[in-house]
Structures are given as structure tokens and as C-alpha cells.
Amino acid sequence: SMTSVAFADKTGDGTGANTPVVLNEVHVDSFSDLKDAISNGDKVIYVDVTSSLTITESLDCKGAELILNKTISKGSFLLISSGCTLSNAVVNTNGNAKHGVQFYRVDNSGLSGVTVEGGYYTSVIVNGATDITLTGCTFEPSGADVYANVEYAMGKDVGTTPQVSVSSCTFGNSNVP
């Protein structure tokens, strides 16, 4: 992976011109650690989990890229709870999850200004969830097994028909719905 580098005068007096400034890469394995990293201004955040990381409250990621650093064999990289909106993030599955983001049997949740890179089946799956809002997002599932940018699903033991509102979104994989 690549570390972002910017050139700036760190001193403000001209003596630090063209000195590389490396944005911190951090590793997290919990929602609490993720919130702390974003609060600290970290922009490249490796998430070291082997099952979905659950977003339990609304979170503005302030432009951070969340990169899945381990393989999740079942499910999604991020699982959004009821009443939660994830915003201003790049969610990068790094080829390590079937779905980038899942809304599973929740309501009144969403994504705003989020780019989901990857998901080797879908970028987003709305599974038995209602009142889901996707606004100003980009979905880019990738891989040989991709079947949808956004999937509306009723998985095993799910009796609720999904409901989702999509506005001002870009669907990056034009080969699938």
C-alpha cells in the first residue's frame, strides 16, 4: 500500500520547505479505536478484523480511508447499526470481503459522501433493513464474482423487505446493476 506524502513548510519560516510530511498510518481493531484515530486526524486507517466491524453510532470520518487489512470470509467489512450514518469516508475492502458495507435488519441508517472500493460480491448490501439512505456515494465493487453495486436482499431468516433511498450516487461497476 501507499502512504500519502505531502510537501510543506512545517516550520512556517521557510526553513522546512519541501520537507516530507507523512500522514500517519494506524491500525485499529475496534469501533472505539476507529473513533479515536479519526478524532486524532489520522487519514489512513488499517482495520485489523476477521469479522465485520460494527458501526454503533453515527461517525464522520473526515475524509479518512478505512482499509480492511485481514480477510473476512463471511459477510461485510462494515456493519451499520440502526440509527447510524457513516459519512465522509473511503471504505476499502482491499479484496478481503464479499461486501463493503452491510445494513442487516436495521432501520433509519445510511451512508453520506462515502466511496466504497471493493466488495468482491457487492459494495453495499441492504438485507432486511428499512429507511436506509445512500446519498452522494460512489460504489465500486471489484472482482470476478461481482453481481451488484448495491444489493437489496432478504437473506436466510429475514422477513422484512428492504427499503432504501439512493440519491446523487455513482455506480462504478457498469457491468452489474
Side-chain angles (χ1 to χ4, degrees):
S1 69
M2 184 191 315
T3 301
S4 298
V5 176
F7 293 94
D9 178 2
K10 293 191 297 187
T11 63
D13 64 6
T15 61
N18 294 323
T19 302
V21 176
V22 178
L23 300 176
N24 289 340
E25 289 184 3
V26 297
H27 288 259
V28 301
D29 62 6
S30 69
F31 180 64
S32 176
D33 288 348
L34 175 61
K35 288 191 323 181
D36 289 346
I38 290 166
S39 178
N40 292 337
D42 294 312
K43 296 295 183 190
V44 179
I45 303 171
Y46 288 93
V47 181
D48 299 323
V49 294
T50 56
S51 61
S52 299
L53 179 69
T54 302
I55 305 300
T56 56
E57 62 187 61
S58 291
L59 182 64
D60 181 346
C61 294
K62 302 177 184 174
E65 182 174 14
L66 316 180
I67 304 168
L68 180 57
N69 203 37
K70 295 190 177 187
T71 300
I72 295 175
S73 59
K74 288 182 152 186
S76 63
F77 174 15
L78 300 180
L79 184 64
I80 310 293
S81 296
S82 284
C84 297
T85 297
L86 182 72
S87 59
N88 303 313
V90 174
V91 175
N92 184 345
T93 68
N94 204 21
N96 291 322
K98 293 176 183 177
H99 313 285
V101 176
Q102 181 168 198
F103 298 91
Y104 180 72
R105 299 173 85 173
V106 298
D107 63 3
N108 194 31
S109 302
L111 301 176
S112 177
V114 173
T115 296
V116 182
E117 296 178 352
Y120 56 83
Y121 286 175
T122 69
S123 284
V124 174
I125 180 170
V126 180
N127 189 353
T130 59
D131 296 321
I132 304 303
T133 304
L134 308 175
T135 305
C137 297
T138 300
F139 308 114
E140 301 175 346
S142 59
D145 296 324
V146 168
Y147 58 83
N149 287 280
V150 176
E151 177 185 3
Y152 311 98
M154 289 179 65
K156 184 178 180 182
D157 300 323
V158 174
T160 303
T161 302
Q163 298 171 336
V164 62
S165 170
V166 179
S167 62
S168 302
C169 292
T170 302
F171 298 93
N173 190 328
S174 61
N175 297 320
V176 295

